[in-house]
Amino acid sequence: MLSKTPSESRTIMTDMVLPSETNPLNNLFGGELLARMDRAASIAARRHSRRITVTASVNHVAFNRSVPVGSVVTVEAKISRAFKTSMEVYIDVWMEDRYTGESNKANEAIYTFVAVDDTGKPTMVPQVVPETALEIERFEGALRRKQLSLVLAGKMEPSEATELRALFIK
């Protein structure tokens, strides 16, 4: 199976925050942002695998900055690493300054998607070949994040989590 770079499946979605999508403080609802991130991640996973993809887990979400009504928000999703049938998708959320047009990172998330065939059975996905320093950093961290998730879910014994053990045992 062929390998792909993260840029080959990158998905960028830009939209404006409307009043109906905000809380009483006039900031974007967290659930609305989660839905936007899920859609962008799903498209990136589908582009990478060329299969139907389903959300397996939301591994990490950081709501670092509130997003006020009227803001222009860009959600960027890239596959950081592919495993056998699953893909880790790293999502960066950017917010445009209304006056300068400068974009600053506001939030981020890490989702896991699984590629499935027409019957819903998991299917193999292409590997990822990271190119930039950031892509390499995210690629290398993905196995640790996967092992941590599996240990916390009780699907892997801590002693089997070699990447995690390497962090603590020299």
Side-chain angles (χ1 to χ4, degrees):
M1 185 167 274
L2 296 175
S3 298
K4 295 183 177 182
T5 67
S7 295
E8 291 178 285
S9 57
R10 181 175 83 163
T11 298
I12 298 174
M13 296 172 47
T14 301
D15 201 1
M16 182 182 290
V17 176
L18 302 174
S20 63
E21 302 166 327
T22 62
N23 63 25
L25 296 174
N26 289 318
N27 293 318
L28 182 65
F29 278 118
E32 176 63 33
L33 181 57
L34 288 170
R36 291 178 186 200
M37 291 188 292
D38 194 44
R39 283 192 293 275
S42 176
I43 293 167
R46 184 172 185 124
R47 284 178 172 166
H48 181 79
S49 66
R50 289 291 164 207
R51 295 291 193 162
I52 297 168
T53 59
V54 294
T55 310
S57 65
V58 178
N59 306 63
H60 168 76
V61 178
F63 294 109
N64 297 320
R65 294 179 58 196
S66 56
V67 182
V69 67
S71 295
V72 173
V73 176
T74 299
V75 178
E76 180 180 9
K78 285 185 178 182
I79 308 301
S80 49
R81 188 163 183 165
F83 297 95
K84 185 178 175 187
T85 61
S86 67
M87 296 156 278
E88 181 188 84
V89 185
Y90 211 106
I91 302 140
D92 294 306
V93 179
W94 304 89
M95 184 171 53
E96 249 181 62
D97 182 280
R98 295 182 210 188
Y99 305 104
T100 66
E102 181 181 331
S103 287
N104 293 297
K105 188 170 175 180
N107 303 291
E108 65 183 12
I110 302 171
Y111 283 46
T112 298
F113 276 77
V114 174
V116 296
D117 64 17
D118 293 337
T119 66
K121 180 182 170 195
T123 186
M124 300 282 286
V125 297
Q127 293 302 302
V128 171
V129 179
E131 296 180 313
T132 68
L134 180 59
E135 290 170 356
I136 291 167
E137 176 185 322
R138 290 177 174 179
F139 179 90
E140 291 174 350
L143 184 54
R144 288 188 296 275
R145 290 187 289 272
K146 180 176 181 171
Q147 287 183 355
L148 179 59
S149 292
L150 292 172
V151 167
L152 292 174
K155 296 179 181 180
M156 176 184 267
E157 290 297 319
S159 60
E160 297 171 0
T162 57
E163 291 295 309
L164 294 177
R165 284 179 41 216
L167 290 175
F168 302 105
I169 301 170
K170 299 224 179 212

